[in-house]
């Protein structure tokens, strides 16, 4: 293969990767945006119905957190793609720093989601069921 063909191939590969990076990052941004809009609509509806309870807001936060985690994963995938073809040391360092921050965000968001979900499942912040005015340990 001639040097010119090699350069054109690498240039074309960079162009294709650049397009893929834009698509993947745009997808991540759209996921985060969709989750934010969804959470806002749920928040407004809960307030309008007068159901502004802690359990309702916790469920909204959990839903938003899931969108954020997924969107951040797409953003990280875009960063990995960006450095897939002949990265420089500067690009590798920059990607490592970005990956570390996004991974930490994902970790803490995921941990908070798991804790909130466990809290809801055991009834800590869940809305009380109908007719549960008295404590369950009431002696007869």
């Amino acid at each position: 293969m001639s040097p010119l063909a090699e350069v054109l191939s690498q240039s074309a590969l960079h162009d294709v990767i650049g397009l893929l990076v834009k698509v993947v990052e745009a997808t991540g941004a759209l996921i985060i945006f969709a989750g934010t809009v969804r959470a806002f609509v749920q928040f407004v509806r809960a307030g309008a119905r007068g159901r502004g309870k802690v359990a309702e807001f916790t469920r909204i936060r959990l839903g938003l957190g899931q969108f954020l985690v997924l969107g951040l994963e797409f953003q990280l995938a875009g960063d990995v793609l960006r450095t897939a073809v002949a990265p420089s040391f500067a690009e590798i360092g920059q990607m490592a720093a970005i990956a570390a921050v996004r991974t930490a965000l994902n970790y803490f968001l995921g941990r908070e989601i798991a804790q909130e979900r466990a809290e809801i499942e055991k009834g800590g912040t869940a809305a009380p069921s109908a007719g549960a005015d008295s404590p369950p340990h009431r002696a007869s």
Side-chain angles (χ1 to χ4, degrees), residues 19-71:
L19 178 63
L20 289 174
V21 167
K22 288 178 183 175
V23 168
V24 170
E25 288 182 342
T27 301
L30 285 172
I31 289 168
I32 292 170
F33 179 73
T36 303
V37 169
R38 181 176 177 257
F40 180 74
V41 168
Q42 290 175 336
F43 173 76
V44 169
R45 284 183 181 165
R49 289 185 296 217
R51 289 178 29 189
K53 297 180 181 174
V54 173
E56 183 80 17
F57 293 134
T58 300
R59 286 187 186 94
I60 294 168
R61 283 184 59 237
L62 285 175
L64 177 58
Q66 290 173 329
F67 278 91
L68 289 173
V69 167
L70 182 60

Side-chain angles (χ1 to χ4, degrees), residues 27-118:
T27 301
L30 285 172
I31 289 168
I32 292 170
F33 179 73
T36 303
V37 169
R38 181 176 177 257
F40 180 74
V41 168
Q42 290 175 336
F43 173 76
V44 169
R45 284 183 181 165
R49 289 185 296 217
R51 289 178 29 189
K53 297 180 181 174
V54 173
E56 183 80 17
F57 293 134
T58 300
R59 286 187 186 94
I60 294 168
R61 283 184 59 237
L62 285 175
L64 177 58
Q66 290 173 329
F67 278 91
L68 289 173
V69 167
L70 182 60
L72 285 170
E73 290 292 339
F74 273 86
Q75 297 295 319
L76 182 58
D79 293 334
V80 171
L81 271 174
R82 182 178 290 112
T83 59
V85 180
S88 68
F89 283 113
E91 289 173 327
I92 291 172
Q94 184 180 23
M95 196 215 54
I98 291 169
V101 169
R102 289 185 178 167
T103 300
L105 282 171
N106 276 343
Y107 172 76
F108 289 112
L109 275 170
R111 198 170 88 179
E112 184 175 346
I113 288 170
Q115 287 173 345
E116 294 284 346
R117 186 166 281 137

Side-chain angles (χ1 to χ4, degrees), residues 1-15 85:
M1 186 181 266
S2 72
L4 180 58
E6 210 173 290
V7 169
L8 288 176
S9 296
Q10 193 170 18
S11 174
L13 186 58
H14 276 287
D15 291 343
V85 180

